Amino acid sequence: LSDIIGRKAIGSTGAVLVAVVGTILYFMGKGFLTSPFVLIPFFFLGMGFAIPAQVLGVFFSEQFPTVVRATGTSTALQVARGLSFFPPIVAVYLFDATGSYSIVFLIAVVVALIEAGYFWIFRETKGKDLIKIDEEKLKIGLDSIGTESKVQR
């Protein structure tokens, strides 16, 4: 599916789903814990987190020329894995400091909206010949975020 409609669209759709469900959970407050329907929003929240995760490996690899693609992708994924300890610590601290789950969901909404926007900043190779992309990079160079600054996307 990501090869047909693109990784940008799929990744940002998942992030927007997280933002929508996070907003719902934010306004539900602590009352959602006693609701018999508590699993419904969390099902969609899980889907929202899973959708972008399915395209990130391929999306990261598209940011690097083929000669360093494996190294670049591995580095990006390992840095992300290494920093993944941080959000749960922040969430626990915020819950402890405020006594409310709502602030955690509010921050998740903000982060999800930022993520949705970031998918559209980086390049995507959907429907493009990789040899031509590498040739263009050799001619013009690669800017700091892995996108061609002189070639129209």
Side-chain angles (χ1 to χ4, degrees):
L1 186 61
S2 67
D3 289 328
I4 297 168
I5 65 172
R7 285 157 285 288
K8 289 181 178 187
I10 289 180
S12 59
T13 299
V16 168
L17 180 59
V18 168
V20 168
V21 175
T23 302
I24 292 167
L25 291 171
Y26 171 76
F27 285 112
M28 289 177 76
K30 287 184 179 178
F32 78 91
L33 291 175
T34 59
S35 169
F37 302 106
V38 68
L39 294 179
I40 295 171
F42 281 102
F43 170 78
F44 287 104
L45 190 65
M47 291 295 293
F49 282 121
I51 292 169
Q54 300 308 309
V55 297
L56 280 178
V58 176
F59 195 73
F60 280 151
S61 72
E62 291 177 323
Q63 308 313 310
F64 302 99
T66 54
V67 295
V68 294
R69 186 159 285 171
T71 302
T73 302
S74 179
T75 301
L77 292 172
Q78 296 310 317
V79 168
R81 173 74 48 111
L83 296 175
S84 66
F85 76 93
F86 192 64
I89 292 172
V90 171
V92 169
Y93 172 78
L94 289 172
F95 175 72
D96 188 47
T98 64
S100 173
Y101 293 104
S102 296
I103 188 70
V104 176
F105 291 119
L106 180 63
I107 291 172
V109 167
V110 171
V111 170
L113 291 174
I114 291 169
E115 177 189 10
Y118 269 118
F119 269 104
W120 294 96
I121 291 174
F122 296 99
R123 73 185 185 100
E124 180 175 33
T125 59
K126 176 187 71 126
K128 297 179 182 176
D129 183 5
L130 293 179
I131 293 172
K132 289 181 183 177
I133 290 171
D134 278 349
E135 287 172 354
E136 289 173 355
K137 285 185 181 205
L138 290 174
K139 287 179 189 174
I140 62 170
L142 187 67
D143 73 15
S144 62
I145 61 168
T147 59
E148 302 96 347
S149 55
K150 297 178 184 174
V151 176
Q152 291 183 351
R153 293 180 214 180

